[in-house]
Amino acid sequence: MRKLKIFITGGGIAGAFSAYLLGRDGHDVHVIERRKPAPSGQVANATGRTGNFTLSDRGRKSLESAGLLEKAMSFALPLDGRMVHLPYAPFTMFSPYGGFQEDILHSISRSDLQSLLLGEAMKVAKFHFGDTLVDVDPFKKSAVFTSD
C-alpha cells in the first residue's frame, strides 16, 4: 500500500476517527484543529451541540472494526426503548427500539467519545492545534493556514 500524506480539517469526532483509521493504516496524517487543547489534554466542546450521542448497531460496528468498541462501551448506557405518551390516554407505554439485541441503542457522552477518539488519533497522527485552514489549491497541492 502506498503511504499518503493526508490533511484533515477539524479534530472533532469525525476528524479524529478518520485520523485514527488512516494513521493506524500507516498514512502520514495531519489534523488541523482551530481549538486549542485544555491543560487536561481535552479539546473544549465549544460547538454548543448536544451532550450525548446515540450509538446504533452501525456505530458500534464502526468502533468495533477500529478496535475501540470495548473502550467506548465502558462509558455508554443502553437505551432499550422509549416511553410513548399518547394524548388521549392517561398512561404511558414502553416501545422497544426493536426486537433484537442489536437494535438496542446506547447513549454515549459526546465529550467522552471525543476524548477517546482524540487520544487514540494523537497516537498515530500529528495534530496542529490553534491552526485554521484559510485556503486550499488542489491543483497546486497547497494549503494556507493561520495560527492563533
Side-chain angles (χ1 to χ4, degrees), residues 89-111:
F91 55 87
T92 58
M93 296 183 330
F94 178 75
S95 175
Y97 284 123
F100 302 101
Q101 182 66 26
E102 61 267 13
D103 295 331
I104 292 175
L105 301 175
H106 288 80
S107 177
I108 188 168
S109 159
R110 176 184 288 273
S111 62

Side-chain angles (χ1 to χ4, degrees), residues 8-55:
I8 297 174
T9 305
I13 289 172
F17 192 49
S18 298
Y20 172 71
L21 294 173
L22 292 164
R24 180 191 68 175
D25 288 347
H27 297 289
D28 181 17
V29 180
H30 295 259
V31 180
I32 310 306
E33 173 55 55
R34 70 179 156 83
R35 297 174 291 170
K36 292 184 179 179
S40 66
Q42 288 186 316
V43 176
N45 180 8
T47 62
R49 294 183 180 147
T50 182
N52 290 329
F53 269 147
T54 320
L55 281 178

Side-chain angles (χ1 to χ4, degrees), residues 64-146:
E64 183 178 40
S65 71
L68 301 175
L69 180 62
E70 190 174 323
K71 288 180 181 180
M73 294 304 282
S74 70
F75 42 80
L77 299 172
L79 303 171
D80 300 333
R82 63 184 156 265
M83 296 303 293
V84 178
H85 305 270
L86 301 172
Y88 52 82
F91 55 87
T92 58
M93 296 183 330
F94 178 75
S95 175
Y97 284 123
F100 302 101
Q101 182 66 26
E102 61 267 13
D103 295 331
I104 292 175
L105 301 175
H106 288 80
S107 177
I108 188 168
S109 159
R110 176 184 288 273
S111 62
D112 287 344
L113 183 59
Q114 170 70 32
S115 293
L116 168 65
L117 296 174
L118 188 61
E120 295 298 321
M122 289 176 73
K123 295 175 186 175
V124 295
K126 172 83 170 121
F127 277 72
H128 304 270
F129 292 105
D131 290 352
T132 302
L133 176 66
V134 176
D135 189 32
V136 174
D137 187 337
F139 301 107
K140 293 181 181 176
K141 296 183 180 179
S142 67
V144 177
F145 305 96
T146 60

